[in-house]
Amino acid sequence: SDVCSSDLSENGTADSGDFTVTTASPLNFSGIPGETKSIAVTIRGDRILERYVTWIDGWFTEVEDELSDAALTAPIDAADVTLADGQLAEVRPAAEAWLMDVAARLERGIVLVIDYGHTESGTGETFQAVGRHAYADPLTAPGALDLTAHVDFQALSRAVEAMGAKGFGPIEQSQFLRRLGIEQRAASLK
């Protein structure tokens, strides 16, 4: 869900037909040029497009353009999700790469992933911002808002299975805490 501009020419200019953006490098919220954690794709007619955030006339704004990498459609295909015209899906190649990196370092044991997310891959956008205890437009104040996007646990499960490992879950937080004995612990504190 980081911010990046359209593909740039050697002189730092991006032209998508309707607008031109000049910048030194792709923009993002983390400060690392080109880094992208969650990518939104949408279908328009028979084309799958990637959603970018760019700087136009003094404001961050969303634009749709060609995919930066054709492999971005692989998670959608693997999830057997069909996008209708105008519908959006998020893909997170960095999350699966992170999981594979962690697993490669693990000689023995488990990886416990705790986060907000959904159990099945689907459509829609989960990218959101919160500021002053309320939801906010993620593009209005970069650096001043907390940004998040939900984890796609089904995609992580597919990555685990592709590595030949065994996955468990996901389960609801309440169920996880009950299995750890939270009710007994709470009773003992009374």
Side-chain angles (χ1 to χ4, degrees), residues 7-189:
D7 291 338
L8 299 173
S9 66
E10 289 182 14
N11 67 1
T13 301
D15 189 351
S16 74
D18 294 334
F19 62 89
T20 301
V21 177
T22 303
T23 184
S25 65
L27 303 170
N28 64 67
F29 288 126
S30 69
I32 302 170
E35 181 182 307
T36 303
K37 292 183 179 73
S38 181
I39 302 165
V41 296
T42 189
I43 191 161
R44 298 285 178 208
D46 61 350
R47 297 173 52 210
I48 295 181
L49 302 172
E50 185 171 349
R51 182 185 292 175
Y52 295 90
V53 176
T54 193
W55 185 258
I56 299 176
D57 296 329
W59 297 97
F60 285 109
T61 188
E62 294 178 341
V63 295
E64 294 174 351
D65 205 346
E66 299 301 319
L67 294 174
S68 61
D69 183 348
L72 292 175
T73 61
I76 297 168
D77 296 337
D80 198 26
V81 172
T82 302
L83 293 174
D85 191 40
Q87 205 167 25
L88 180 114
E90 293 173 333
V91 294
R92 297 162 186 84
E96 293 173 28
W98 168 83
L99 184 61
M100 289 181 188
D101 183 52
V102 169
R105 296 166 191 255
L106 190 66
E107 291 181 24
R108 183 175 160 201
I110 64 168
V111 176
L112 177 63
V113 178
I114 300 175
D115 209 332
Y116 292 100
H118 43 276
T119 58
E120 294 184 7
S121 301
T123 60
E125 182 175 31
T126 67
F127 176 48
Q128 56 191 301
V130 177
R132 298 182 183 210
H133 308 287
Y135 289 107
D137 180 344
L139 305 180
T140 57
L145 301 170
D146 293 325
L147 303 176
T148 188
H150 291 189
V151 172
D152 182 348
F153 284 106
Q154 187 177 34
L156 291 183
S157 294
R158 282 192 303 274
V160 165
E161 291 169 6
M163 290 183 277
K166 188 171 185 176
F168 299 94
I171 63 171
E172 296 288 326
Q173 180 183 23
S174 60
Q175 185 180 12
F176 177 75
L177 293 173
R178 275 197 293 282
R179 288 181 181 179
L180 288 177
I182 195 168
E183 291 166 336
Q184 293 82 359
R185 176 70 177 141
S188 73
L189 296 174

